[in-house]
């Protein structure tokens, strides 16, 4: 079972997350998601637990619990969806306009 944890304190690391969930059963992985550029926590993470019963118990007991001075949200992770390469709004940004805008003249 893949579990999503949000509203984590920025000081929480992978080992802290694993230790939190170890109380409920076997943890196969625990990962706090970090910003690519700064390396700073983004305030959420994922835990994988091979036993669904243990995972459900962890979700039930930890959702809305206080951890490291913050109230965390714990849920079953939703499957990752594919995102469009150009931002997802269908417009494609400035493609084909040379950065001048739609109706502007080029000098």
């Amino acid at each position: 079972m893949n579990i999503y944890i949000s509203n984590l304190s920025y000081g929480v690391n992978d080992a802290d997350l694993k230790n939190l969930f170890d109380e409920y059963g076997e943890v196969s992985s625990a990962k706090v998601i970090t910003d690519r550029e700064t390396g700073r926590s983004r305030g959420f993470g994922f835990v994988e637990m091979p036993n669904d019963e243990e995972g459900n118990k962890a979700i039930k007991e930890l959702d809305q619990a206080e951890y490291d001075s913050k109230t965390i949200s714990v849920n079953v992770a939703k499957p990752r969806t594919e995102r469009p390469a150009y931002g997802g709004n269908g417009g494609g940004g400035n493609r084909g306009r040379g950065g001048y805008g739609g109706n502007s003249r080029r000098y």
Side-chain angles (χ1 to χ4, degrees), residues 14 22 32 45 48 67 70 73-74 77 85 88 104 106:
D14 297 350
D22 272 340
V32 173
E48 287 186 40
Y67 181 67
K70 294 194 81 170
S73 293
V74 183
S104 297
R106 294 185 188 187

Side-chain angles (χ1 to χ4, degrees), residues 5-9 20-21 24 58-74:
I5 305 93
S6 61
N7 203 35
L8 289 171
S9 168
L20 177 63
F21 280 81
Y24 299 95
I59 290 170
K60 183 179 177 184
E61 294 190 22
L62 291 173
D63 187 39
Q64 300 306 305
E66 188 172 312
Y67 181 67
D68 200 32
S69 301
K70 294 194 81 170
T71 302
I72 61 174
S73 293
V74 183

Side-chain angles (χ1 to χ4, degrees), residues 100 103-107:
Y100 292 100
N103 294 324
S104 297
R105 288 189 199 165
R106 294 185 188 187
Y107 297 98

